[in-house]
C-alpha cells in the first residue's frame, strides 16, 4: 500500500518524546504526522515513569498537567538502606520542598497513563498511525521522504527521530554522514527487571526506596493507591556491547527474583513481598550513551534515540520532553524567518546544530548522574561507600540544591501562549536560583506565594 501525506514534521515513534512533540506542534500550529511501529498507541505494561518538575512544566504548558495529577501523589520521602542487613543510610526529604521551590513535585505514574493522556489530548487521531515501522528515510535539499515497511510514505520538511534506543533514524543519520558508532556506545552494564505490584503493607504512596546491595540492588517508586513500581538491577560486572546482551528467559527472571528475595526494603518488608504481589514484570538491558551525531540532512534525534540513560535518576523521559521542547523553540524561530516558505537546508542545519549544542551538556550530566546512582545501588565503584555514609550527614539544603539546580536551567517552551500560575512561578523561582540566592530565602518567598 502506498499513501501520501505531506507535513512539516514527520515524527517517528509515539513514545514519550513523540507524543509530547505532537502535542507541542499541534498547539504551535505546525503540521505533523506520527508513525509508530507498535500495533497500539499507549500499550499497557509494567513500566512506570517518574515525572519531575522540569518535565512537568512542559506538560503543563501543553495543558495535560491537571489530567496527570489525577493519577499521581507527590513524592516526599526517600529511604536508603543496606539491602542485606537493613542498615539505614539516610532518609532524604528534599523532594517534599520541590513544590514550594519550583511549583511542581515529583510523581510516579504508569508510563501508559502518560502516553494515553498525551494521545487523548491530540484532537485529530488520524495524524497518528500505528503498525507503521519506518524502514527508510531519504533526505534532499528540499524535503525528506519517510517510508514504512508497508510502503506508506510521508513527505516532510523535517524528520524527528524519536524512535527510542534502537532508532532507525539514528542509523539513517550515521549512514548519511558516514559515521560508525563507537563500540562502547549503548553498552549495558546492568539488566533491570521492572514491575508493579499490588499494595504491600509497609509501603505507602509518595515514598521511594533504594536497597543498596552488591550484584542485585532494588529501587522502588510508589504512586497513587500505594502502588509500588520496582526496579531490580542485575550487575553485569563488565559492560556488554550493544545487542550482545543475553536473552531474558522466564528462568532468568525467576532465578534473579529468588536470589533477591531477602533484600530488605524497609523494616518488615522484603523483595519477596513485592514479588508475591506482582502484576506485570518485564526485563530489559539498560543501554547507556550519547549518540555522536544528532542530526544530518533534514533528520534530527531526540530522547532515547540520542541520549539514553539508566532509570535511576528518573530523568530519561523528562529529558526527552525537554529535548523536543528545545527543538520546537529553535524551529519556531526559523519558521518565523521563513513564513509560508520552505526552510533552506543550510539554515535548518544551523538551527539543528544549535539545538544539539543546547541539549548535549545537560543530558550528559544526567547520563553520568544516573549511572552513578545505579552504581551506588549496586555498591560498585570506588566512591560509593563514602557516598552512602554521607547520606545521613547531608544538609537538606545541599540535597535540595543538587536535585533542583539542573531544573533551574531546564528548557521550557519559549513565548508560549499557554501560561499558568505554576509555569510563571517556576520561572521566577528558577531565575532566583540561577542568580545564586540562598535556597531558604527562595523557599520563604515561595511559601508566601503558595500560602
Ligand atoms: C525500567 C525503566 C524505568 C524508567 N523510569 C523512568 C523515570 O522514572 N523517569 C523518566 O523520566 N524516565 C524513565 N525511564 C526512561 C524513559 O522511559 C525513556 O527515557 C523514555 O521513554 C524515552 O522516550 P522516547 O520517546 O525517546 O523513547 P520510547 O519511549 O522508547 O519511544 C520510542 C517509540 O518509537 C517506536 N519505534 C521504534 N522504532 C520505530 C520505527 N522504526 N518506526 C516507527 N516507530 C518506531 C517505539 O515502538 C516506541 O513507541 C525509564 C526507563 C526504563 C527502562
Amino acid at each position: 500500500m502506498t499513501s501520501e501525506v505531506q507535513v512539516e514534521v514527520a515524527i517517528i515513534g509515539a513514545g514519550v518524546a513523540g507524543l509530547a512533540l505532537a502535542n507541542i506542534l499541534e498547539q504551535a500550529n505546525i503540521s505533523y504526522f506520527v508513525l509508530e511501529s507498535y500495533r497500539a498507541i499507549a500499550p499497557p505494561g509494567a513500566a512506570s515513569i517518574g515525572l519531575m518538575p522540569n518535565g512537568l512544566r512542559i506538560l503543563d504548558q501543553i495543558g495535560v498537567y491537571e489530567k496527570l495529577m489525577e493519577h499521581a501523589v507527590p513524592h516526599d520521602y526517600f529511604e536508603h538502606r543496606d539491602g542485606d542487613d537493613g542498615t539505614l543510610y539516610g532518609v532524604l526529604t528534599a523532594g517534599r520542598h520541590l513544590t514550594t521551590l519550583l511549583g511542581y513535585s515529583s510523581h510516579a505514574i504508569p508510563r501508559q497513563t502518560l502516553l494515553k493522556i498525551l494521545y487523548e489530548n491530540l484532537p485529530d487521531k488520524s495524524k497518528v498511525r500505528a503498525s507503521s515501522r519506518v524502514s527508510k528515510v531519504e533526505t534532499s535539499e528540499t524535503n525528506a521522504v519517510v517510508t514504512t515497511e508497508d510502503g506508506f510514505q510521508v513527505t516532510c520538511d523535517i524528520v524527528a527521530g524519536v524512535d527510542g534506543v534502537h532508532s532507525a533514524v539514528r542509523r539513517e543519520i550515521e549512514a548519511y554522514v558516514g559515521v560508525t558508532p563507537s563500540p562502547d556506545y549503548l553498552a549495558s552494564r546492568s539488566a533491570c527487571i521492572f514491575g508493579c505490584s499490588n499494595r504491600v503493607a509497609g509501603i505507602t504512596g509518595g515514598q521511594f526506596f533504594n536497597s543498596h546491595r552488591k550484584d542485585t540492588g532494588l529501587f522502588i517508586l510508589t504512586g497513587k493507591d500505594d502502588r509500588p513500581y520496582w526496579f531490580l538491577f542485575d550487575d553485569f560486572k563488565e559492560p556488554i556491547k550493544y545487542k550482545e546482551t543475553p536473552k531474558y528467559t522466564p528462568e532468568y527472571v525467576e532465578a534473579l527474583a529468588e536470589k533477591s528475595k531477602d533484600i530488605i526494603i524497609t523494616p518488615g518488608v522484603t523483595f519477596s513481598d513485592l514479588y508475591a504481589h506482582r502484576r506485570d514484570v518485564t526485563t530489559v538491558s539498560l543501554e547507556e550513551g550519547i549518540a555522536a551525531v544528532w542530526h544530518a540532512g533534514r533528520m534530527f534525534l531526540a530522547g532515547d534515540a540520542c541520549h539514553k540513560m539508566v532509570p535511576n535518576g528518573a530523568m530519561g523521559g523528562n529529558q526527552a520532553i525537554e529535548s523536543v521542547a528545545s527543538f520546537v523553540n529553535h524551529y519556531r524561530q526559523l519558521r518565523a524567518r521563513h513564513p509560508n516558505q520552505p526552510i533552506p537546508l543550510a539554515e535548518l542545519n544551523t538551527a539543528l546544530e544549535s539545538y544539539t549544542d543546547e541539549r548535549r551538556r545537560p543530558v550528559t550530566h544526567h547520563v553520568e548522574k544516573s549511572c552513578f546512582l545505579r552504581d551506588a545501588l549496586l555498591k560498585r565503584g570506588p566512591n560509593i561507600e563514602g557516598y552512602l555514609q554521607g547520606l545521613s550527614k547531608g544538609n537538606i539544603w545541599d540535597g535540595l540544591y543538587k536535585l533542583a539546580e539542573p531544573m533551574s536551567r531546564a528548557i521550557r517552551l519559549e513565548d508560549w501562549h499557554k501560561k499558568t500560575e505554576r509555569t510563571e512561578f517556576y520561572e521566577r523561582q528558577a531565575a532566583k536560583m540561577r542568580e545564586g540566592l540562598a535556597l531558604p530565602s527562595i523557599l520563604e518567598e515561595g511559601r508566601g506565594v503558595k500560602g
Side-chain angles (χ1 to χ4, degrees):
M1 182 182 67
T2 301
S3 176
E4 188 71 23
V5 173
Q6 186 128 15
V7 287
E8 275 184 79
V9 185
I11 301 175
I12 317 307
V16 176
L19 290 177
L21 178 58
N23 272 276
I24 299 170
L25 295 178
E26 178 71 43
Q27 294 191 25
N29 208 18
I30 295 169
S31 64
Y32 66 91
F33 194 85
V34 185
L35 294 165
E36 164 57 44
S37 57
Y38 197 66
R39 63 175 187 277
I41 307 297
S48 58
I49 187 152
L51 292 173
M52 306 295 279
N54 54 320
L56 284 168
R57 171 169 59 167
I58 297 167
L59 294 167
D60 201 4
Q61 288 188 292
I62 57 179
V64 295
Y65 176 77
E66 259 104 18
K67 281 183 212 136
L68 286 166
M69 288 306 103
E70 289 169 20
H71 303 268
V73 291
H75 149 226
D76 71 347
Y77 180 89
F78 199 161
E79 207 171 277
H80 289 258
R81 286 183 185 274
D82 181 290
D84 283 321
D85 63 15
T87 302
L88 183 66
Y89 290 120
V91 173
L92 308 186
T93 53
R96 76 175 51 146
H97 300 287
L98 277 175
T99 312
T100 318
L101 185 64
L102 294 173
Y104 302 89
S105 184
S106 65
H107 310 265
I109 64 166
R111 182 174 176 274
Q112 184 193 22
T113 303
L114 171 63
L115 295 181
K116 232 172 157 177
I117 287 174
L118 287 169
Y119 180 57
E120 279 164 9
N121 203 48
L122 295 173
D124 182 358
K125 307 291 186 277
S126 72
K127 294 180 186 171
V128 183
R129 189 176 192 263
S131 301
S132 300
R133 178 173 294 281
V134 168
S135 53
K136 190 163 78 173
V137 182
E138 292 152 291
T139 161
S140 73
E141 191 64 33
T142 49
N143 65 19
V145 179
V146 177
T147 308
T148 66
E149 279 177 352
D150 67 350
F152 186 85
Q153 289 196 319
V154 177
T155 304
C156 58
D157 295 337
I158 300 171
V159 180
V162 279
D163 46 348
V165 62
H166 309 300
S167 173
V169 180
R170 188 179 64 235
R171 286 196 298 277
E172 292 284 0
I173 288 177
E174 287 161 0
Y176 188 95
V177 295
V179 140
T180 308
S182 125
D184 305 335
Y185 177 53
L186 294 182
S188 299
R189 292 199 284 150
S190 49
C192 176
I193 305 183
F194 61 95
C196 63
S197 295
N198 291 325
R199 181 180 279 143
V200 169
I203 293 184
T204 54
Q207 296 180 324
F208 291 2
F209 300 90
N210 258 2
S211 299
H212 301 263
R213 189 177 186 244
K214 277 207 182 302
D215 302 339
T216 57
L218 181 66
F219 167 43
I220 300 164
L221 310 173
T222 57
K224 201 171 172 196
D225 303 325
D226 303 334
R227 164 122 329 138
Y229 304 103
W230 48 267
F231 310 85
L232 181 64
F233 293 76
D234 186 15
D235 191 348
F236 288 159
K237 308 289 185 202
E238 293 297 328
I240 302 183
K241 282 187 183 156
Y242 181 51
K243 297 228 161 148
E244 292 183 9
T245 47
K247 286 255 172 298
Y248 301 110
T249 59
E251 293 74 32
Y252 166 87
V253 174
E254 281 310 314
L256 192 62
E258 175 61 25
K259 193 168 137 189
S260 312
K261 65 179 194 300
D262 296 329
I263 293 182
I264 296 171
I265 298 167
T266 196
V269 190
T270 60
F271 177 68
S272 59
D273 300 312
L274 274 186
Y275 200 62
H277 289 81
R278 69 189 177 278
R279 290 158 58 104
D280 288 302
V281 177
T282 304
T283 309
V284 289
S285 303
L286 294 177
E287 300 90 354
E288 304 168 42
I290 305 218
V293 187
W294 287 30
H295 72 95
R298 293 184 168 271
M299 305 173 277
F300 79 95
L301 304 172
D304 283 7
C306 58
H307 46 78
K308 176 73 175 73
M309 53 197 83
V310 295
N312 305 63
M315 266 295 162
N318 291 284
Q319 290 302 316
I321 295 170
E322 276 197 52
S323 286
V324 294
S326 164
F327 159 72
V328 176
N329 288 340
H330 285 88
Y331 185 60
R332 284 175 70 219
Q333 283 179 18
L334 195 55
R335 204 166 169 265
R337 292 205 294 276
H338 298 278
N340 308 316
Q341 291 161 14
I343 290 171
L345 184 56
E347 282 189 53
L348 178 61
N349 270 315
T350 307
L352 291 176
E353 196 52 34
S354 146
Y355 151 75
T356 305
D357 280 351
E358 181 167 68
R359 295 302 296 146
R360 201 179 269 281
R361 218 165 107 186
V363 296
T364 303
H365 164 81
H366 288 294
V367 167
E368 287 168 0
K369 185 173 170 196
S370 304
C371 178
F372 175 81
L373 294 173
R374 187 272 319 277
D375 286 355
L377 191 73
L378 290 166
K379 292 196 165 188
R380 183 169 76 180
N383 305 321
I384 299 307
E385 253 334 291
Y387 163 77
L388 293 175
Q389 297 308 329
L391 283 171
S392 60
K393 302 185 184 97
N395 162 328
I396 185 154
W397 305 123
D398 290 346
L400 184 59
Y401 185 80
K402 277 191 199 134
L403 181 66
E405 195 277 336
M407 297 179 197
S408 73
R409 289 179 283 106
I411 302 291
R412 62 178 175 154
L413 291 162
E414 300 292 348
D415 304 321
W416 198 247
H417 54 285
K418 233 176 206 168
K419 292 192 168 113
T420 70
E421 250 179 63
R422 284 177 303 267
T423 59
E424 299 314 285
F425 176 76
Y426 188 130
E427 188 44 31
R428 284 198 304 278
Q429 294 284 89
K432 289 177 210 157
M433 283 189 76
R434 294 194 298 268
E435 283 160 22
L437 256 70
L439 277 190
S441 75
I442 304 178
L443 280 169
E444 205 43 57
E445 289 179 50
R447 247 175 238 118
V449 174
K450 305 225 129 246

